Amino acid sequence: MMARETVTAIILAAGKGTRMKSRLPKVLHRIAGRPMLGHVLSLVDEIPNARSVLVVGPDMDEVATYAKGVAPDTGIAVQAEQLGTAHAALMAQSDISDREGVVLVIFGDTPLMHPETLAGMVRTCRDEAEIVVLGFRPKDPAAYGRLVLDEEDALQKIVEFKDASEAEKGIALCNGGAMAVRAEYLFDLLSRVGNENAAGEYYLPDIVGLARAEGLVCRVQEGEEEEVQGVNSRADLAMAEAVMQRRLRHKAMADGATLADPASVYFSFDTVLGRDVTVGQNVVFGPGVRIADGATIKPFSHLEGATVAEKAEVGPFARIRPGSSIGAGAKIGNFVETKKAEIQEGAKVSHLSYIGDARVGAHANIGAGTITCNYDGYNKFFTDIGAGAFVGSNSALVAPVKIGDGAYLGSGSVITKDVTPDALAFTRPKQVEKSGWASAFRAKNESASGKVKD
Ligand code: UD1
Ligand code: MG
């Protein structure tokens, strides 16, 4: 790997996130089923030859552990006191020993950036400038830092809102926060940033003025307002969720799925839909779901940690829980719950059933109201239903139990023993009939009370 190709992303996440009013560190709050920080780490992962160094506050082990779990080569630096963004970035110094290539400084609470934006900043920083700042033009520039350009439209300095003159506050081009800096200059510049400003903080944006004074080239790359938005409150979190869901819906449709009412379908960051998948209204995909080509997910279904094979049908009102795999052409109908269940090709579980810790063999038919009794309060047990078996309605299969291929189970049975292939098994008291009993019963009661029941 050529040294100039190296990219290190310093992810700042030491802020307390007080406005979230949460026990959970801000960057671990989830968007589309994945912690915000996971989205940021995956942005870095898309850049070739990139590695992250995460700057956390004290007592943020949970954040460090999460990052290491997702990207084991992530460096962790601790900022003991939150003295500002320049001070935070400086904490990563010891972890960036080679000081080659480009360093990206990004925020852990800004999960909506486009990978192309970061890639563009890195490219410009390699080829044309020592520093590249992500700029944007917000509808309301509010309290963002302002980017001051010189006569040649090169970036001259960044002023924080609190320190800006009236003229500077009138600048529409704002600081989006992210920066790309050549590694060889970054830490020297950071170490020279002071804190004589309105906030008394060490501002990362101050490195631009310092770099210019040394004749270094500083450029702006403009991005969209949407991608720059940070999450500071629960309302911001909901906003970021909405943006992410919109993107995931567009992606699903671009990849060839039909969404009957896109706004009512909720995705996870890793949902995979094949071509010609049809998704009805009000479907929720939790993490870890893959739907193969031509499958149909009918309205009001909830799926998580599951695969659905080609041309299978799920729902309406189905709950497909983790560890479920629905085979090709299989049918899962209304009010059916599956968990750790392998429903093999062409099998049908059409109505009101619970199938957990089980295999349902190919083309087996599971009648309405069938329950696999998988739990005795302490342990879980497996139910194995053979290919082509027919389970009568309202059967309880008390696991562990094995139903042989092609066997029939009579409706309403409580099956506790294995059934051999092609046998019929049922557990059912004999039906008793007393002819004329009902009319005699009515006649007796009506003459006693003297009136006809209304
Ligand atoms: C920053 C920029 C501002 C820009 C805005 C865009 C500075 C000084 N200002 O302001 O120009 O318009 O982003 O959103 O950089 N953090 C630490 N340690 C600290 C301070 C902050 O790790 O000591 C982390 C925070 O957790 C957060 C990020 O740095 O993830 C940004 O800090 P924040 O205080 O939100 O900066 P802004 O005021 O938004
Ligand atoms: Mg902020």
Side-chain angles (χ1 to χ4, degrees):
M1 188 204 308
M2 277 168 61
R4 70 184 287 276
E5 304 290 326
T6 308
V7 177
T8 310
I10 302 179
I11 303 174
L12 305 188
K16 291 199 179 68
T18 334
R19 277 181 285 163
M20 294 298 284
K21 304 220 168 93
S22 176
R23 187 204 60 77
L24 191 68
K26 176 162 81 176
V27 296
L28 294 185
H29 282 261
R30 284 168 192 272
I31 295 169
R34 167 161 76 175
M36 233 185 280
L37 180 60
H39 289 277
V40 177
L41 287 166
S42 98
L43 279 168
V44 176
D45 196 47
E46 289 196 38
I47 304 170
N49 307 321
R51 159 182 189 255
S52 299
V53 178
L54 180 66
V55 181
V56 294
D59 309 317
M60 286 200 192
D61 293 352
E62 231 179 319
V63 177
T65 305
Y66 170 74
K68 285 276 193 195
V70 175
D73 67 340
T74 304
I76 305 293
V78 177
Q79 185 192 25
E81 260 187 293
Q82 277 63 72
L83 301 179
T85 47
H87 178 258
L90 201 52
M91 298 299 115
Q93 183 169 13
S94 61
D95 213 306
I96 304 177
S97 49
D98 49 1
R99 311 251 184 95
E100 283 168 335
V102 171
V103 177
L104 272 172
V105 185
I106 54 180
F107 300 160
D109 64 358
T110 307
L112 298 172
M113 275 187 298
H114 294 297
E116 309 82 58
T117 302
L118 291 182
M121 290 172 68
V122 167
R123 223 178 301 119
T124 309
C125 190
R126 250 177 219 151
D127 301 337
E128 299 167 31
E130 276 79 30
I131 297 182
V132 181
V133 170
L134 175 58
F136 73 116
R137 295 173 191 274
K139 277 179 232 85
D140 172 16
Y144 287 110
R146 303 298 204 265
L147 302 186
V148 181
L149 305 183
D150 64 17
E151 310 78 55
E152 272 99 51
D153 274 351
L155 180 61
Q156 191 172 18
K157 63 172 180 172
I158 305 177
V159 280
E160 285 305 292
F161 180 77
K162 284 183 187 167
D163 303 289
S165 64
E166 282 312 309
E168 287 165 339
K169 282 179 186 164
I171 296 173
L173 186 59
C174 291
N175 178 20
M179 272 192 207
V181 186
R182 292 262 187 88
E184 64 216 89
Y185 300 104
L186 176 66
F187 294 107
D188 174 55
L189 291 168
L190 286 174
S191 66
R192 291 196 279 123
V193 170
N195 67 347
E196 288 101 51
N197 53 49
E201 283 183 16
Y202 296 88
Y203 294 154
L204 170 66
D206 281 0
I207 65 169
V208 170
L210 293 170
R212 281 299 302 259
E214 288 186 10
L216 302 181
V217 180
C218 302
R219 294 271 295 269
V220 178
Q221 171 162 329
E222 287 196 38
E224 293 173 22
E225 177 167 13
E226 182 185 280
E227 64 179 322
V228 163
Q229 281 173 312
V231 174
N232 295 305
S233 62
R234 306 273 181 164
D236 293 342
L237 186 69
M239 173 281 301
E241 179 76 40
V243 170
M244 200 65 83
Q245 289 301 335
R246 199 189 66 225
R247 290 182 186 172
L248 291 166
R249 288 165 191 150
H250 276 269
K251 184 177 182 309
M253 292 187 281
D255 290 347
T258 293
L259 309 184
D261 177 15
S264 73
V265 178
Y266 289 82
F267 289 100
S268 283
F269 69 101
D270 61 351
T271 309
V272 179
L273 303 189
R275 291 203 172 185
D276 296 312
V277 166
T278 301
V279 181
Q281 296 84 347
N282 297 290
V283 169
V284 176
F285 294 102
V289 176
R290 299 180 75 90
I291 312 289
D293 295 355
T296 302
I297 312 298
K298 295 183 180 173
F300 296 98
S301 294
H302 186 286
L303 301 90
E304 184 178 355
T307 58
V308 176
E310 295 78 25
K311 298 197 173 134
E313 282 183 33
V314 171
F317 299 101
R319 173 139 189 242
I320 308 299
R321 292 174 52 203
S324 298
S325 79
I326 313 301
K331 284 204 174 126
I332 302 294
N334 44 238
F335 306 109
V336 169
E337 174 179 344
T338 66
K339 186 221 68 167
K340 273 196 195 162
E342 187 183 349
I343 312 296
Q344 295 180 325
E345 187 177 338
K348 288 184 187 165
V349 189
S350 298
H351 333 267
L352 300 153
S353 289
Y354 171 69
I355 306 294
D357 299 298
R359 173 185 77 103
V360 175
H363 304 287
N365 187 87
I366 308 298
T370 297
I371 305 289
T372 53
C373 309
N374 60 329
Y375 186 47
D376 63 4
Y378 297 93
N379 296 297
K380 303 276 168 72
F381 301 95
F382 192 74
T383 300
D384 191 56
I385 301 170
F390 185 97
V391 176
S393 298
N394 199 32
S395 294
L397 309 179
V398 182
V401 71
K402 182 174 163 67
I403 313 301
D405 290 354
Y408 259 65
L409 303 186
S411 302
S413 296
V414 178
I415 300 294
T416 53
K417 286 186 238 145
D418 290 356
V419 177
T420 53
D422 295 317
L424 166 67
F426 57 89
T427 61
R428 191 188 285 167
K430 280 223 160 44
Q431 187 164 323
V432 175
E433 179 166 329
K434 297 184 178 176
S435 61
W437 183 93
S439 54
F441 174 77
R442 278 193 295 270
K444 189 176 102 189
N445 282 288
E446 281 160 19
S447 69
S449 66
K451 64 175 185 184
V452 176
K453 187 180 179 293
D454 52 23

